[in-house]
Amino acid sequence: DQVNAHWAGLGFYRRARLLHQGAQLVVREYQGELPKTVDGLLKITGIGPYTASAIASIAFHVCVPVVDGNVCRVLSRLTGIANHIKAPALKDKHGWELANLLVQGSDC
């Protein structure tokens, strides 16, 4: 209730609840320290692939792709893929695979 009170009027009640649950899990299961891997971060309530990859990449210097709509748009143009960028085949699977190939070939 306290978390929702701070988010009142913003329309993000579900996110606020998930954020609060995730924070409680981090305190309870990880002694207040965020996991440093994408797989570990994905176990936290409210954290999906994009957020887990962004946190791991930025905070812990893990060499992983971070894929959003703009990345999918660039990848579709580079590879000549005609799929709509929001199509699950591109944004949820193929876009991550392509981005991972680029990251693997880099010196990050």
Side-chain angles (χ1 to χ4, degrees):
D1 291 335
Q2 201 173 26
V3 172
N4 278 338
H6 290 289
W7 288 59
L10 297 176
F12 295 112
Y13 301 109
R14 182 174 183 273
R15 274 194 192 168
R17 277 194 309 278
L18 293 175
L19 177 65
H20 189 237
Q21 290 171 5
Q24 289 173 323
L25 182 106
V26 169
V27 169
R28 186 177 60 251
E29 301 292 327
Y30 301 105
Q31 294 71 48
E33 295 281 329
L34 280 175
K36 293 183 166 92
T37 65
V38 172
D39 288 338
L41 289 160
L42 285 170
K43 293 177 184 174
I44 299 171
T45 308
I47 293 183
Y50 175 84
T51 303
S53 294
I55 292 169
S57 176
I58 295 166
F60 304 117
H61 308 288
V62 177
C63 191
V64 293
V66 179
V67 178
D68 66 359
N70 290 322
V71 172
C72 285
R73 188 174 291 109
V74 169
L75 291 173
S76 70
R77 288 180 182 162
L78 285 174
T79 60
I81 296 171
N83 283 353
H84 190 277
I85 63 161
K86 292 185 178 180
L90 182 61
K91 77 176 186 70
D92 294 336
K93 185 173 187 284
H94 197 58
W96 284 91
E97 291 169 352
L98 289 172
N100 195 44
L101 289 173
L102 290 172
V103 170
Q104 287 176 359
S106 72
D107 291 334
C108 64

